[in-house]
Amino acid sequence: MDYRPLADEIRPTTLEEVVGQRHILGENGLLRRIIEGGTIPNLIFYGPSGTGKTTVANIIARRTNRPLHRLNATTASISDIKDIMAGIGTLLAPDGVLLYLDEIQYFNKKQQQSLLEFMENGKITLIASTTENPYFYVYNAVLSRSTVFEFKPLTAEDVEPAVRRGLDCLSRRTGEAALWEEGVVSHIAAACGGDVRKAMNALELLWSGARRTAEGRRITLEDAKLAAQRSAMRYDREGDDHYDILSALQKSIRGSDPDAALHYLARLLVAGDLVSACRRIMVTACEDVGLAYPQAISIVKACVDAANMVGLPEARIPLADAVILLATAPKSNAGEAAIDAAMADVKAGRTGDYPRHLQNKHADSAGQEREQGYLYPHNFPHHWVKQQYLPDALVGRTYYHYGENKTEQAAKRYWEEIKDKR
């Protein structure tokens, strides 16, 4: 008998059997009502792998009695779609077909636009799936003709029934009873990271290595932990997860929540992405702590250097120190706001000539030297003297506004006292 993956063998055939996705497939879920209504629009399913997107497409095909053609955008071309079109109207597909296009984000703009002519005449109903945000990766013309449904990651509680079905299926397949220690099912369900396919792969691995006894195959919790280790990580250095974790790390530090910041740092480090973690922590030190605690930048730089020197797993220690320091430090984005305002003026053409007394006097041609009029601040009390520094067109422009933290307010008082006296 040909081998059939367990994930495919236990694939649900009804909406009631689909795990999770109650927000769209529950009793009053919109997608459920659309499917039960029988008139299927063009659909885009967006969400992590292993959450039921292909399963629901199969159920739709059975409900509507229309042939389902599957293509993967990583290998398919428009000619493949044209081949499908050639069969429409024949006895094989008198009422059109459903086209399930997986990973639509890998179709370029021209390929996605070519889909439109097939979508317009109604002979092809497109069900596209993507693990990336469709509003970033699917072109507007396709989006405007489709309804987007988000498939959310499954919880461990959602996955447990699928794990039990998988064990029952393996038992029937081999004619041996499935015997598992307490905690095996819940551990696999939790460790798969909301991906039923990962859970089924772990089960097949466990089953093939399970100890055979007179009563059946025995699966231990220790073996389950080995088979499912690290599989809970959802992380793609080129995908949305990469940027979402980095964003969550920085926002947690900015929000002064060290526990959340450590969680997202841990996810990066477990995935082995030391480079991205170091870069984002360094940026956060400058952007979100900055002038409120200027020493943090040099301290974090030392932590980052230490992490890169020792590598993982030891790198986790200096990076944890850096994250906790930043999360518990006072915050200021005054520096970032100031440079952004200055760059906005420059980009808008608000510049003007340098004041004469700021120009490089050595640039004057020999014999054409001019009086510069520059006042050297170190020759004056408190090393400050009033003179114009901004171009004439920008005199009076203020970019930097002191933050409310202790460090910047101390600097503000210092300079106000000196400048007011003059």
Side-chain angles (χ1 to χ4, degrees):
M1 186 175 69
D2 292 336
Y3 168 73
R4 187 181 179 191
L6 181 60
D8 188 48
E9 195 168 343
I10 71 156
R11 192 182 296 278
T13 57
T14 67
L15 293 176
E16 288 73 22
E17 293 175 345
V18 177
V19 296
Q21 314 312 333
R22 293 301 92 190
H23 62 296
I24 54 176
L25 295 176
E27 185 176 350
N28 294 311
L30 177 58
L31 181 56
R32 184 189 189 100
R33 284 182 275 135
I34 289 173
I35 295 171
E36 291 177 343
T39 302
I40 308 299
N42 296 303
L43 301 169
I44 295 176
F45 293 162
Y46 154 50
S49 59
T51 53
K53 300 188 295 296
T54 303
T55 295
V56 173
N58 288 332
I59 293 172
I60 291 173
R62 280 192 290 271
R63 284 289 188 101
T64 58
N65 294 315
R66 297 175 75 182
L68 177 66
H69 293 266
R70 297 184 185 86
L71 293 177
N72 191 299
T74 59
T75 56
S77 64
I78 293 300
S79 63
D80 294 314
I81 299 174
K82 290 180 178 179
D83 290 341
I84 294 171
M85 284 293 296
I88 294 177
T90 67
L91 291 176
L92 294 176
D95 300 317
V97 300
L98 291 174
L99 171 61
Y100 182 67
L101 181 61
D102 198 13
E103 305 290 358
I104 188 175
Q105 73 270 16
Y106 288 106
F107 261 18
N108 59 34
K109 183 175 182 179
K110 183 177 180 181
Q111 288 173 311
Q112 289 192 31
Q113 288 176 331
S114 298
L115 290 170
L116 296 176
E117 62 178 285
F118 306 122
M119 296 167 65
E120 294 287 359
N121 61 26
K123 293 296 185 180
I124 279 185
T125 298
L126 176 69
I127 302 178
S129 73
T130 176
T131 56
E132 308 293 352
N133 191 329
Y135 298 101
F136 294 157
Y137 292 94
V138 179
Y139 289 92
N140 286 334
V142 176
L143 274 176
S144 66
R145 292 165 175 79
S146 309
T147 303
V148 177
F149 286 98
E150 180 179 1
F151 282 61
K152 296 182 179 179
L154 303 174
T155 65
E157 290 74 17
D158 290 332
V159 178
E160 280 195 26
V163 174
R164 295 182 186 278
R165 285 208 313 272
L167 286 166
D168 290 341
C169 181
L170 289 168
S171 179
R172 289 194 304 272
R173 184 192 288 179
T174 61
E176 300 171 273
L179 309 171
W180 61 85
E181 290 182 356
E182 184 178 353
V184 165
V185 170
S186 59
H187 179 80
I188 294 173
C192 73
D195 187 332
V196 173
R197 192 178 297 108
K198 281 186 179 180
M200 295 305 104
N201 291 342
L203 272 186
E204 286 194 281
L205 182 65
L206 279 170
W207 189 260
S208 63
R211 296 181 185 277
R212 286 183 169 87
T213 67
E215 293 81 17
R217 296 203 191 190
R218 185 170 300 280
I219 301 173
T220 67
L221 181 57
E222 182 181 359
D223 286 345
K225 289 179 178 179
L226 289 173
Q229 62 184 342
R230 295 187 64 173
S231 65
M233 279 300 301
R234 286 190 180 277
Y235 190 70
D236 177 359
R237 295 192 191 199
E238 303 298 326
D240 285 349
D241 280 335
H242 170 76
Y243 299 103
D244 285 344
I245 291 177
L246 292 175
S247 176
L249 171 63
Q250 182 167 4
K251 288 173 180 173
S252 297
I253 294 174
R254 182 185 298 151
S256 302
D257 188 331
D259 299 306
L262 286 168
H263 170 77
Y264 296 115
L265 172 64
R267 290 172 70 162
L268 286 166
L269 298 183
V270 170
D273 195 352
L274 179 60
V275 173
S276 295
C278 288
R279 182 181 181 279
R280 185 52 65 104
I281 292 169
M282 199 71 247
V283 167
T284 305
C286 301
E287 180 180 342
D288 295 304
V289 174
L291 298 169
Y293 181 26
Q295 299 93 324
I297 296 173
S298 57
I299 295 171
V300 169
K301 174 63 165 58
C303 290
V304 165
D305 287 345
N308 284 311
M309 182 179 72
V310 302
L312 289 168
E314 290 82 3
R316 75 191 189 283
I317 303 169
L319 292 187
D321 291 341
V323 161
I324 294 169
L325 173 72
L326 294 176
T328 56
K331 305 296 188 295
S332 173
N333 70 334
E336 181 202 18
I339 188 60
D340 286 350
M343 290 178 70
D345 270 357
V346 172
K347 291 176 181 178
R350 292 188 286 270
T351 52
D353 292 334
Y354 318 102
R356 169 58 190 164
H357 57 276
L358 298 187
Q359 292 177 2
N360 181 6
K361 65 181 180 180
H362 301 294
D364 290 343
S365 301
Q368 298 182 10
E369 294 87 352
R370 296 172 293 164
E371 176 59 35
Q372 188 180 41
Y374 173 61
L375 301 177
Y376 189 55
H378 294 303
N379 290 337
F380 295 85
H382 304 292
H383 302 266
W384 182 82
V385 62
K386 185 175 182 179
Q387 64 184 326
Q388 179 183 331
Y389 290 96
L390 278 168
D392 291 342
L394 292 172
V395 170
R397 190 76 164 166
T398 301
Y399 297 119
Y400 173 58
H401 300 275
Y402 289 95
E404 296 179 356
N405 58 83
K406 180 172 65 176
T407 302
E408 289 180 85
Q409 285 300 307
K412 180 182 180 183
R413 287 192 297 271
Y414 175 82
W415 286 112
E416 283 179 345
E417 182 178 346
I418 291 173
K419 293 178 181 181
D420 286 348
K421 286 181 179 179
R422 306 303 296 260

